[in-house]
Amino acid sequence: MDLDLDERTLAFRDEARAWLTAHVPAEPLKSFDTAEGFAQHRDWEAKLADARWSVVSWPRELGGRDASLLEWVLFEEEYYAAGAPLRVNQNGIFMLAPTLFSHGTEEQRRRILPKMARSAEVWAQAWSEPEAGSDIAALRSTATRCDGGWRVSGQKTWSSRATFADRAFGLFRSDPDSVRHKGLTYLMVDLRAEGVTVRPIPQLDGEPGFAEIFLDDVFVPDEDVIGAPGEGWRVAMTTANNERGLSLRSPGRFLAAADRLVSLWHENGRPAHTADRVADAWIGARAYHLYTFGTVTRLSEGAALGPESSVNKLFWSHLDVALHETALDILGPDAELRGRWSEGWLFSLAGPIYGGTDQIQRSIVAERLLGLPKGAR
């Protein structure tokens, strides 16, 4: 990729920078893991959507700007550099939306995506189950055929954003005789539907960033099936690859954090014992940035995200932990009790778990990229 940007791309970046400078809230919004903060973030997402900055790479008729992937990456850099609010609907925009673009119908895209773009509907993940965490293929929640759709029963857990979200997406076993990856169907579920119970899971800070979802004979219409019934695993791999790869963790997030880390190091006397780690974090953020440009090039040439996204997932999740742990060491022994860095550190600890644990990612790398035999030691 030519990293010398053309005039059109530079104009797009400058327009985004100017809008964000003028509109990013002067005071941080409250946490979207609280009812008040969730409402504030919905309002922010609506403001983004009104100016067509919510989903810049989507078609204009769906609320976007028809921006290129490169322009999307640049927008994300500007967004994080401006200190803009975290995206409350990231599950929908960065995970479900790419799945709908790849496997959804035109009707589904037109019905769902415009409301998603402005967070009139906020989406939760409904993947993990009490006995099927990273091993999603072991799930036991069922979807049974009925007139006009499906009856869904079971339990999902650790569902991010589910406490206050409107809808959820996930896999359900639609063939009772199937095992593992076979016989699964990808469904979108209304969390306000009859038979749905959402039970918040408080985190260490007391905020319910996750929830359990209990489904008791919940009706899901056929129009809310993504892809063919029974082919859910193939569809879900699009979602997983986007979570692990390009979409969910844009390089702008780490570039901004690495720059803040360097400033923190200077502001706190340049402690020698953290110098190498600060440099490593800064280099890692820029390596991830350049890697993303390579991914953009491949996608622009017609390639698709595949198992190599597991390498990406391993890299950014451990970069995130190292970056925040270094910040806490710079701040000293009481750092975990205060401020932005401690909050970021707590969240970073989940990185090696969500989106598939390190063990899952390493197995994918070993078997699907390196060609090692399954079960080899």
Side-chain angles (χ1 to χ4, degrees):
M1 171 177 284
D2 184 357
L3 296 181
D4 292 325
L5 305 178
D6 59 31
E7 290 186 6
R8 177 179 179 273
T9 306
L10 288 171
F12 173 89
R13 184 199 65 186
D14 292 345
E15 182 186 358
R17 182 178 296 173
W19 189 91
L20 290 163
T21 298
H23 292 91
V24 167
E27 296 294 327
L29 303 184
K30 293 187 181 299
S31 167
F32 53 43
D33 290 335
T34 65
E36 183 181 359
F38 200 88
Q40 290 179 347
H41 280 79
R42 276 198 200 262
D43 291 343
W44 167 250
E45 298 279 349
K47 183 180 289 188
L48 279 174
D50 287 342
R52 292 187 179 272
W53 291 116
S54 174
V55 287
V56 296
S57 62
W58 292 11
R60 292 194 68 84
E61 63 268 20
L62 297 176
R65 288 177 171 246
D66 287 309
S68 68
L69 276 174
L70 174 58
E71 288 170 330
W72 173 78
V73 170
L74 294 174
F75 172 75
E76 290 289 295
E77 289 181 21
E78 296 301 324
Y79 191 87
Y80 282 102
L86 294 175
R87 305 297 299 273
V88 69
N89 212 5
Q90 63 181 10
N91 290 324
I93 291 170
F94 299 140
M95 294 174 62
L96 180 59
T99 305
L100 287 170
F101 280 119
S102 296
H103 300 283
T105 65
E106 184 66 21
E107 185 278 331
Q108 287 174 330
R109 289 190 285 270
R110 292 190 178 278
R111 172 167 54 92
I112 293 167
L113 294 180
K115 288 184 285 188
M116 181 191 294
R118 62 188 305 103
S119 288
E121 285 184 345
V122 176
W123 290 81
Q125 299 183 49
W127 296 111
S128 297
E129 299 186 5
E131 296 183 21
S134 295
D135 186 12
I136 297 174
L139 64 84
R140 297 190 297 180
S141 292
T142 61
T144 305
R145 258 290 185 202
C146 66
D147 186 22
W150 304 80
R151 290 288 177 181
V152 176
S153 294
Q155 179 185 353
K156 300 290 184 175
T157 193
W158 299 115
S159 297
S160 58
R161 307 286 82 76
T163 301
F164 304 111
D166 304 291
R167 307 193 71 191
F169 56 89
L171 287 177
F172 298 84
R173 191 162 299 283
S174 53
D175 179 355
D177 297 323
S178 65
V179 294
R180 301 294 297 164
H181 308 90
K182 306 294 184 182
L184 303 174
T185 297
Y186 198 124
L187 299 176
M188 298 178 286
V189 180
D190 183 353
L191 294 179
R192 307 288 186 267
E194 183 179 356
V196 177
T197 300
V198 177
R199 182 181 298 166
I201 302 174
Q203 300 172 97
L204 286 175
D205 57 10
E207 296 178 357
F210 300 90
E212 296 175 285
I213 303 173
F214 297 89
L215 305 144
D216 183 12
D217 199 33
V218 178
F219 177 71
V220 177
D222 281 325
E223 66 183 13
D224 283 342
V225 175
I226 303 179
E231 296 295 323
W233 186 260
R234 182 175 65 87
V235 179
M237 288 303 96
T238 300
T239 307
N241 288 337
N242 278 287
E243 183 179 22
R244 297 164 187 169
L246 183 63
S247 291
L248 192 57
R249 288 292 169 261
S250 70
R253 179 176 185 268
F254 299 107
L255 290 173
D259 286 343
R260 290 198 305 272
L261 179 66
V262 172
S263 297
L264 183 74
W265 187 72
H266 283 281
E267 292 163 3
N268 286 269
R270 302 183 182 185
H273 72 285
T274 59
D276 288 349
R277 291 159 62 195
V278 171
D280 284 345
W282 190 91
I283 292 169
R286 275 143 187 82
Y288 182 45
H289 183 222
L290 292 174
Y291 177 85
T292 299
F293 278 130
T295 301
V296 167
T297 300
R298 292 194 298 276
L299 292 175
S300 299
E301 293 172 349
L305 288 172
E308 68 277 4
S309 62
S310 290
V311 178
N312 200 40
K313 166 62 166 55
L314 286 166
F315 183 84
W316 66 248
S317 60
H318 287 271
L319 170 63
D320 202 16
V321 174
L323 195 154
H324 284 88
E325 286 184 344
T326 301
L328 295 189
D329 282 352
I330 292 172
L331 289 169
D334 66 340
E336 295 172 18
L337 303 177
R338 59 186 174 90
R340 184 178 190 178
W341 287 106
S342 61
E343 294 169 1
W345 173 69
L346 282 173
F347 184 77
S348 75
L349 296 179
I353 300 173
Y354 67 77
T357 63
D358 282 3
Q359 292 86 348
I360 294 290
Q361 307 310 323
R362 288 175 178 136
S363 292
I364 292 171
V365 171
E367 294 172 18
R368 299 178 62 186
L369 291 178
L370 300 180
L372 299 178
K374 192 168 184 177
R377 293 290 187 269

